[in-house]
Amino acid sequence: MSSSVQRYFILCRQTSASAVNMLKVMNHRLVARVKQFQPITLACGTNLRKCHTSAKKDDSELPWQRDYYKYFLEIQTRFSDNDQYGHVNNATYYSYFDTVINHYLIKCCGLNTDLRTSNTVGFMVHTDCSYRTPVSFPEVALAGLCISHIGRSSIHYTVAIFPELSQQAPDGTSNKTEPGLGSWMDKVNFANHSLTACAVGHCVHVFVNTDTNRPVPLPDNVRASLEKISVEKQQKPTSDSKL
C-alpha cells in the first residue's frame, strides 16, 4: 500500500474519532441541560408567573362532587363536538370552561369585554383538565363553577362538567330544560344531572392593561361578585375516589 493511501486512511480514522468524541461531548451537555430544566415562566408585565409543569395530583383529590360548586350553567353539546369515537373530544371541554367562566364574568360581574370602550383584557395563563367519563351529543351538560383564589389581578377558577342522567323522564316526556340561563346553587334544577362530575378543570385569568400589557387590579365590582362564589376559605370535601 502506498504511503499516500496509508496517510489517507489514518486521516479518516482520526476524523472519525474526533467526530465521535464531539458527539459524546454534545450528548453529555444535552443531558446536563435537561437535568437542570426549570419550570417554564410566563412574563406578565414586570412579574414572572410560573406555568405548572409538575405532574398533576391524584384525581381523587379533586372536587368531583356537585355540592362544591356555586354557579351552574347548562350547556348544549353540539353535533360537531363529537369526535370519531362518538363522544365529546377532550379539547372541547375547554370551550365549555370558557363558556361558563365568561358567562359569569359578563352576566354577574358586569365585565366589559368591548375593547373599544375598555382597556382591560383577561389572559388565560393556565388550564388543565382531568377526565373520568365521557359526554356526547345531544346531551345537555351542566357546568359548575367556583372561585378557588382571587388575587390582585388574577382569578383562579375550578370548573366541573356534570353529565346528563337521562334524556327522558319515566312518563316519556322530556327531562331537558332550556340551556343558556345561569343559576345559583339554590335555584338550579339538579334532577337531570349526575351528582358526580365527569371532568374537573382549573383555569387562571390574569387581567392586564391593553396599552402596557401589565397586570392591573381587578375592579371592585368584579371582585365583589367573584367573592359570592368563592370557596377560598372553604375546606375541600373528601371526594369519592372510585372511578
Side-chain angles (χ1 to χ4, degrees):
M1 184 181 295
S2 66
S3 59
S4 60
V5 173
Q6 288 179 341
R7 285 196 299 272
Y8 172 76
F9 280 111
I10 291 173
L11 180 61
C12 287
R13 286 198 296 269
Q14 291 175 343
T15 303
S16 178
S18 298
V20 170
N21 289 333
M22 184 177 295
L23 288 174
K24 288 181 178 179
V25 171
M26 292 174 64
N27 181 65
H28 175 74
R29 290 178 178 176
L30 178 61
V31 171
R33 291 293 296 274
V34 170
K35 289 182 178 179
Q36 296 173 358
F37 177 76
Q38 297 296 322
I40 301 170
T41 57
L42 296 175
C44 287
T46 57
N47 298 325
L48 291 178
R49 299 183 179 274
K50 290 187 177 180
C51 180
H52 303 291
T53 58
S54 58
K56 294 181 183 179
K57 296 181 179 179
D58 183 350
D59 75 351
S60 64
E61 300 178 22
L62 298 174
W64 295 93
Q65 300 306 309
R66 200 170 59 193
D67 58 5
Y68 184 76
Y69 299 88
K70 305 299 182 183
Y71 187 76
F72 297 88
L73 177 69
E74 289 187 318
I75 297 177
Q76 173 65 65
T77 59
R78 301 166 299 174
F79 180 72
S80 60
D81 292 347
N82 279 11
D83 59 23
Q84 68 185 62
Y85 299 107
H87 57 238
V88 171
N89 186 268
N90 61 293
T92 306
Y93 287 77
Y94 290 99
S95 71
Y96 298 162
F97 295 171
D98 271 335
T99 298
V100 66
I101 287 171
N102 287 286
H103 187 279
Y104 187 80
L105 290 176
I106 296 170
K107 292 286 188 178
C108 301
C109 300
L111 181 68
N112 183 3
T113 58
D114 186 349
L115 294 181
R116 296 172 298 180
T117 57
S118 172
N119 62 350
T120 300
V121 63
F123 288 155
M124 193 68 77
V125 298
H126 173 78
T127 57
D128 67 62
C129 185
S130 296
Y131 308 87
R132 281 192 172 179
T133 57
V135 295
S136 59
F137 176 83
E139 285 186 59
V140 177
L142 181 68
L145 173 68
C146 62
I147 307 299
S148 53
H149 176 69
I150 307 173
R152 174 181 174 272
S153 58
S154 65
I155 309 171
H156 297 238
Y157 312 93
T158 302
V159 193
I161 302 298
F162 298 91
E164 193 174 36
L165 287 176
S166 174
Q167 297 182 22
Q168 221 173 31
D171 60 1
T173 59
S174 175
N175 256 341
K176 292 184 178 180
T177 55
E178 187 67 24
L181 299 176
S183 302
W184 302 99
M185 176 70 173
D186 58 346
K187 295 181 179 179
V188 69
N189 178 12
F190 287 129
N192 300 339
H193 296 91
S194 172
L195 292 170
T196 304
C198 61
V200 172
H202 299 93
C203 305
V204 180
H205 258 150
V206 174
F207 284 83
V208 303
N209 182 285
T210 55
D211 297 325
T212 63
N213 206 35
R214 293 185 177 182
V216 293
L218 296 171
D220 290 339
N221 64 310
V222 172
R223 182 179 296 274
S225 297
L226 292 171
E227 289 174 350
K228 293 180 180 179
I229 61 170
S230 173
V231 295
E232 190 166 2
K233 298 180 181 179
Q234 174 181 326
Q235 184 177 358
K236 289 185 178 180
T238 302
S239 60
D240 182 7
S241 61
K242 295 180 180 179
L243 294 178

